[in-house]
Amino acid sequence: MSLANQYDLDDYIEFIENEKFAGTLLSDCVANVQRVYLSDKRPWVIGYSGGKDSSAVMVLVYLALLGLEPKQRHKEVFVVASDTLVETPVVVNHVSNSLRAIERGAKRDNLPITSHKVVPKTNQTFWANLLGKGYPAPTRQFRWCTERMKIDPVSSFITDKVSQFDEVIVVLGSRSQESASRAQVIAKHKIDGSDLAKHTTLANAFIYTPIDMWGVDDVWKILRFCHLVSEETPYGIKNKWFDKYDMEWENPWGGKNLLLWNLYKDSSGQGECPMVIDETTPSCGNSRFGCWTCTVVTKDRAMESLVQNGEEWMKPLLKYRNILSRSTSPKLKKKYRSHIRRDGRLAFKTLKEDGEKILTDDYTTGPYKLKYRKVALRLLLSIQKQLADLGKDAELITVPELHAVRHEWLNDPNEPDWDDDLPIIFNDIFGYDLDWAIDDTNQFGRDDAVLISQLAPEHGVSPHLVKKLIDLEVSMSGLARRTGIYKKIGSLIQQDWESAEEIIRKNKDTRQNQINQSKEVQDLEAELAAITASLNKEMQQ
């Protein structure tokens, strides 16, 4: 490991020999990692977020491999980072640069380490779901993003390695001090007499957490030679980070951690977003290393802190994120979201009375209305253009995602976009066109939509229903056998196409009819019971 100042080598050697991490000498920590590595032939997958904890694990593993003879480095180590495509922009370059530096260092030192970045499938990204399908901004009650954007890409990578090597060991920077709930889950699946735990969801995958007992002080010690020291202040005894910037050493693969330190500085105790491998991993919206669009938390204090500490160009992102957050307010849901769910039905809320579910006159809201999705996309692209004009390399939404959003709009189950507005919105902002594919499932345009909107109400029919029936006919045309077309037509007709008020009125009428019918049945049953009793009495005489 190289030092910023070569004359500090003696100090560094003394540090290595005497410094303890969670009560264990660093040399012993490295030896423990070497022991686990040499114990079998299962390859390692290191979950790397670029944050302090995963970086500390990476340093520890790298040092362990450096300390082995070349012939002992017998199995591969895959360093995998998950990019949700909505990561905080200031972190994206840091993670990419770190992955490249790790791989360069590994090649130089002849270590079996390779770096990989995984991303969600194009139709499962944040924007494909929120802008495309109209999914509401994530909340604690409906956190749809984690599985699609983080768990699935990493799980696919791990599963691929399992199929290739039969079993793998996933190395994580989880610390009990950072996440008690995560520590409990790992402890629950711990294998007796082993340093490993079973993966909670993936077969033939095992978890190894080499810094499980470390404190945050230990993490920064191995990254930058930083310590927490207790000092007397006017406010009492407080912990303060003690820096020796002249002692700043590099990572074993090269490059210093000063940038990482600055990302965490003044962060009000916020942690990093861990490598999410299952649903037990906590949300990281308040993290330096979370998604800038995260609305699971009420306020994104991490991004607010970044803006306050000089990253003022991120203000538009913070405002956009806050707009998404406000749209989840119960008072605003019915303004921004459709009363019809994506299955075409209005879902009434229920209450429990005497153990039975009773329908209310209120309903759960569905996806964002298409007109608001269009507004949200226009604003997002405008911010991207604004950042580009400032020289910021921040691609807020990718071209493949734009194609995915357009496909969802054209084929929306409730509001098909016959206007095909997305290419128009893009051209309005950027002044040029992308290579937009011709979608054969949508052969009608704005004029046709206007005509249907004018004519359909005159015949008491929903314009959206007519559009969906025409879309169905177009999709089935040219087929030799139109199997199931009547079932599909019936399904469309049975959907709720009226306004929420009309559907609620009909529901009330239906419930009243059911009540009336129920009362009639009860009266008939009572009358029948009386007749039966009378007959039985006569027969007994």
Side-chain angles (χ1 to χ4, degrees), residues 88-89 270 285 287-288 291-293 300-308 311 314 317-319 321:
T88 304
Q270 297 163 35
S287 163
R288 294 285 190 193
C291 302
W292 70 268
T293 56
D300 191 338
R301 302 190 186 281
M303 188 143 57
E304 289 176 355
S305 180
L306 285 170
V307 171
Q308 292 170 3
E311 304 291 347
M314 289 183 62
L317 301 185
L318 181 59
K319 290 181 179 179
R321 178 261 167 208

Side-chain angles (χ1 to χ4, degrees), residues 43-64:
W44 283 10
V45 176
I46 299 180
Y48 183 74
S49 70
K52 65 183 189 306
D53 294 335
S54 61
S55 296
V57 164
M58 192 65 240
V59 170
L60 198 58
V61 172
Y62 201 103
L63 289 174

Side-chain angles (χ1 to χ4, degrees), residues 1 34 59-70 73 105 108-111 252-253:
M1 182 183 291
Q34 291 174 330
V59 170
L60 198 58
V61 172
Y62 201 103
L63 289 174
L65 293 179
L66 272 178
L68 296 175
E69 295 293 331
R73 303 165 187 163
R108 178 197 66 216
D109 297 326
N110 195 28
L111 302 181
W253 55 82

